[in-house]
Amino acid sequence: MSGEFSAALRHALDFDTPDRRIDSLKTSVSNFLRSGDTSARVRKTEYFNHTFAPDLVLTWPDEKRERLVFLRTNPNPEWLAADLKVIASSHPIMLTLDDSGSEQDPTAHELLVMAAKEARALITDPDAIEEFVSPRVPITSVLTNAVIRGGLGLVDEQAARGATESAIAGFSAAENLEAGPIRSALLAAEGMLDDEQANRFSRLYRAVWEGQGGTAENFPSHRKLTGPLTGGDLSLLLATLTTDDVHFWRRVGRSVRLEQVVALGAEPGPNLGHLVEANLDRLLARGARVFGQSGAPSSEGQRADWGVERGCLALRGDGWIAYFAARSNDLPSHETRRGVSVSTLIEGIRQLGVRMTDVKVQQDNFAISIQAVGDADVVDSPDFGQLVERGDSVAQAAAIAMSGGRNLIADFVTGTAMGHTNASFPLDELAQAAVRLLLELSHRNVPDSDVRLVPGRDPVVIQEPLWE
């Protein structure tokens, strides 16, 4: 045995008591399994080298999944086959701590290979594990993750090296639409994965293939990978590939829903912003809620970044944050504000170039609602204009006309923008309107700033909030 994993195991054997040696062995194995699948939790048991009691138990908190790990000090294939008969029903991982002499009997070795396949168990050794983990490139991390979850058969160092090398070559080929290396990579992976993990691995390659413009019909796999990307597929893709190619993320995101993006959680990396920005017109949100106020204008500007926070898709700028959700109940609790002055609202509406269809104004002793008839604009109403002269007139909510005849209601008291009943809006419309209405965008006497909500549009500057 050679390599970091093997060195850790040899070091564990140097401890002076059996209990410390066993605990150190289990710790070393646990650490390497976790490095191959960071989402896994590893629990040590009180047993060691037991016939039917596992040494370690792998679980995945977000999934109903468990896998037992049995450590074996003797790699004799006949002994391993005998033990496997007892524990086959759990589809375990059997990790031999010493691979010397494991292939002295070719017949016994072949029988063990067949038994492992039939039991959907993975039999492997430290050198093979190290081959999976050591490349430390995204696609081999995906393969290692799949092997730990659903690896099967007898996988030695040579097989592991061949699979990882094929995976790297195949992923590069998928980015260049080269079918041959992809086919080889998938066949190598399928030889050591159960159907669930093999499908997952193939879907990742297909997503890259289609993202680069390849067709599903020409993808070099015999598997029936129909349907849109799942949340798991999307998570794998964002964690595996780094690219800012808008066209790639546009193809990948053609059927992605906002709920899937939010389910990715808070740490999907920079690809999340690329995915969202390329598909703002496809991602539908029920509403938005904006908190805070913009910071002081900076000569260097401030870019607003997309992320996932508090169970919503979030756009964070300098001192402010806007949350977007597919369901109104998923938005964070609001902060109550007074509203905006009528004069500020009129100025903001005119700057945005939108039509106001309805407004609700609060005065000291009265509440006034003005609704436009037909294609009229409330801003043009003489009665509404007269409210500017009254210092106690505060606009609490206003509706603006959006595309398709829908109205977006901006509630200045709660910092919320939402439609009527179950209306949903594409993020390109909702983000622009909500953030501008609720934070008052202005270009006057302010250095250029890069708060780019939609790729390719002119930068917009966020100044003082509309609410008072």
Side-chain angles (χ1 to χ4, degrees), residues 284-287 325-328 406-407 418-425:
L284 301 179
R286 174 76 176 86
R327 298 184 305 175
S328 58
R406 296 165 299 169
N407 285 334
M418 198 172 297
H420 288 292
T421 60
N422 295 321
S424 294
F425 300 90

Side-chain angles (χ1 to χ4, degrees), residues 143-444:
L143 177 61
T144 306
N145 178 295
V147 168
I148 291 173
R149 291 169 178 240
L152 50 80
L154 180 58
V155 180
D156 58 15
E157 180 182 10
Q158 183 178 354
R161 184 185 303 118
T164 55
E165 290 175 351
S166 292
I168 294 171
F171 198 76
S172 176
E175 294 181 278
N176 294 290
L177 300 180
E178 299 172 4
I182 300 174
R183 187 178 295 107
S184 297
L186 297 181
L187 288 174
E190 289 170 359
M192 59 181 63
L193 296 176
D194 62 22
D195 282 341
E196 178 186 358
Q197 297 304 318
N199 283 339
R200 181 168 162 247
F201 197 66
S202 297
R203 288 173 72 90
L204 175 60
Y205 278 81
R206 193 187 76 167
V208 177
W209 171 274
E210 294 184 11
Q212 297 294 356
T215 64
E217 294 75 16
N218 292 330
F219 181 66
S221 173
H222 63 88
R223 293 182 173 272
K224 296 181 179 180
L225 305 173
T226 58
L229 284 176
T230 66
D233 298 332
L234 190 60
S235 179
L236 271 179
L237 186 62
L238 266 66
T240 306
L241 184 70
T242 300
T243 177
D244 58 2
D245 184 342
V246 173
H247 297 294
F248 175 87
W249 292 113
R250 182 76 178 166
R251 295 186 191 104
V252 167
R254 65 184 183 276
S255 58
V256 172
R257 295 174 290 107
L258 181 61
E259 297 93 318
Q260 289 177 292
V261 176
V262 171
L264 293 171
E267 299 181 3
N271 283 331
L272 176 71
H274 301 322
L275 174 68
V276 172
E277 289 181 354
N279 295 281
L280 286 170
D281 60 325
R282 293 168 168 167
L283 295 170
L284 301 179
R286 174 76 176 86
R289 185 158 287 153
V290 182
F291 293 85
Q293 62 183 29
S294 62
S298 165
S299 60
E300 297 180 357
Q302 176 77 28
R303 179 181 171 83
D305 295 317
W306 293 99
V308 176
E309 300 184 35
R310 300 174 70 176
C312 298
L313 181 64
L315 182 64
R316 180 176 287 276
D318 185 13
W320 60 271
I321 184 168
Y323 296 96
F324 303 88
R327 298 184 305 175
S328 58
N329 291 339
D330 292 337
L331 291 170
S333 299
H334 66 80
E335 297 174 351
T336 302
R337 297 171 173 81
R338 178 170 176 262
V340 302
S341 68
V342 172
S343 59
T344 299
L345 176 59
I346 291 176
E347 183 179 4
I349 291 293
R350 284 175 174 165
Q351 278 188 352
L352 292 175
V354 295
R355 184 170 65 89
M356 187 161 61
T357 61
D358 198 351
V359 65
K360 294 181 180 179
V361 178
Q362 180 72 44
Q363 296 178 337
D364 288 341
N365 299 313
F366 300 95
I368 302 171
S369 178
I370 301 176
Q371 184 174 6
V373 178
D375 294 330
D377 191 334
V378 172
V379 172
D380 298 329
S381 168
D383 293 332
F384 185 59
Q386 291 176 7
L387 296 176
V388 176
E389 301 175 3
R390 295 195 48 161
D392 63 343
S393 296
V394 177
Q396 294 189 320
I400 63 171
M402 304 288 281
S403 65
R406 296 165 299 169
N407 285 334
L408 180 68
I409 304 168
D411 187 330
F412 304 110
V413 175
T414 64
T416 306
M418 198 172 297
H420 288 292
T421 60
N422 295 321
S424 294
F425 300 90
L427 280 183
D428 59 344
E429 293 184 16
L430 182 59
Q432 293 282 352
V435 175
R436 290 187 176 193
L437 276 173
L438 300 174
L439 290 175
E440 187 187 5
L441 304 181
S442 174
H443 293 276
R444 296 171 303 171

Side-chain angles (χ1 to χ4, degrees), residues 71-148:
L71 305 182
R72 289 294 179 260
T73 57
N74 190 334
N76 184 296
E78 293 183 2
W79 288 29
L80 295 177
D83 284 355
L84 187 56
K85 289 181 180 179
V86 179
I87 60 176
S89 61
S90 64
H91 316 303
I93 296 175
M94 293 181 72
L95 180 63
T96 61
L97 301 177
D98 181 4
D99 60 358
S100 60
S102 59
E103 296 188 24
Q104 290 181 352
D105 185 343
T107 302
H109 180 267
E110 287 303 317
L111 290 174
L112 180 60
V113 171
M114 294 174 59
K117 289 278 189 179
E118 291 175 0
R120 290 191 291 135
L122 173 65
I123 302 176
T124 190
D125 58 62
D127 288 339
I129 295 293
E130 189 127 22
E131 285 292 336
F132 285 120
V133 175
S134 60
R136 302 188 186 282
V137 295
I139 188 59
T140 58
S141 297
V142 175
L143 177 61
T144 306
N145 178 295
V147 168
I148 291 173

